[in-house]
Amino acid sequence: MPHHDATLADHSVAVAFYAFKMAKLCGMAGNADQIVRGALLHDFFHYDWRTAKPRSGGLHGFDHPREALENAEEEFGPLTRIERDCVLRHMWPLTPIPPRYGESLLVCLTDKAIALQESWRALRSGKGLGVL
Ligand SMILES: [Fe+2]
């Protein structure tokens, strides 16, 4: 289930790593554990988004955060309110409700930066984005 030429695991670890680094720079190191868990789980869905749909039958971009949260809580038990917000709100502003906490805003912005870097790398390698 690649995100362009990166796997979802590669993507999630990169988001967690850079969100952790940014948390330290932004004075949020006290909640770094929740930021890392939220980042690692933000895309915890189990289908290839290019060829399949979420369980809801809706659009991937809008519905995968809810599915990722359901999968995460089924696998690991209840998440904290910050971890839940990291997962549920990471697609803002595509999804209309913004992150509620600084920690979840940090994961949301880091996800976009990493996705942009992955897209740029895929384009530069000549592989394209693999979505068209
Ligand atoms: Fe996502």
Side-chain angles (χ1 to χ4, degrees), residues 54-93:
R55 283 190 295 266
S56 67
L59 295 173
H60 170 74
F62 294 98
D63 290 359
H64 79 273
R66 171 65 57 188
E67 185 163 325
L69 178 62
E70 291 169 2
N71 291 341
E73 293 199 315
E74 184 178 314
E75 189 72 30
F76 302 110
L79 304 189
T80 68
R81 60 188 166 79
I82 289 174
E83 292 163 353
R84 288 175 57 88
D85 207 57
C86 289
V87 176
L88 279 178
R89 307 296 175 223
H90 80 271
M91 289 302 288
W92 181 79

Side-chain angles (χ1 to χ4, degrees), residues 3 8 11 42-45 60-61 64-65 68 87 90-91 111:
H3 239 185
L8 266 182
H11 169 78
H42 79 280
D43 275 341
F44 196 56
F45 56 88
H60 170 74
H64 79 273
V87 176
H90 80 271
M91 289 302 288
D111 178 45

Side-chain angles (χ1 to χ4, degrees), residues 6-7 14 29-30 32 44 46 50 55 76 92 94 99-100 104-105 132:
T7 67
F44 196 56
H46 308 311
R50 296 167 306 172
R55 283 190 295 266
F76 302 110
W92 181 79
L94 178 65
R100 182 172 184 173
S104 39
L105 178 61
L132 299 176

Side-chain angles (χ1 to χ4, degrees):
M1 296 173 284
H3 239 185
H4 309 304
D5 64 339
T7 67
L8 266 182
D10 293 335
H11 169 78
S12 298
V13 168
V15 173
F17 177 78
Y18 286 104
F20 174 77
K21 293 290 217 183
M22 289 302 296
K24 287 175 41 178
L25 285 174
C26 297
M28 289 189 264
N31 285 333
D33 55 342
Q34 295 181 80
I35 291 169
V36 168
R37 282 196 298 267
L40 287 172
L41 296 170
H42 79 280
D43 275 341
F44 196 56
F45 56 88
H46 308 311
Y47 57 89
D48 185 335
W49 62 274
R50 296 167 306 172
T51 59
K53 290 185 170 201
R55 283 190 295 266
S56 67
L59 295 173
H60 170 74
F62 294 98
D63 290 359
H64 79 273
R66 171 65 57 188
E67 185 163 325
L69 178 62
E70 291 169 2
N71 291 341
E73 293 199 315
E74 184 178 314
E75 189 72 30
F76 302 110
L79 304 189
T80 68
R81 60 188 166 79
I82 289 174
E83 292 163 353
R84 288 175 57 88
D85 207 57
C86 289
V87 176
L88 279 178
R89 307 296 175 223
H90 80 271
M91 289 302 288
W92 181 79
L94 178 65
T95 55
I97 302 174
R100 182 172 184 173
Y101 307 105
E103 291 86 346
S104 39
L105 178 61
L106 182 60
V107 169
C108 176
L109 297 176
T110 305
D111 178 45
K112 281 148 186 65
I114 296 298
L116 182 64
Q117 187 256 353
E118 290 164 352
S119 299
W120 179 246
R121 196 173 57 222
L123 286 171
R124 288 203 55 172
S125 73
K127 293 178 184 171
L129 298 178
V131 294
L132 299 176

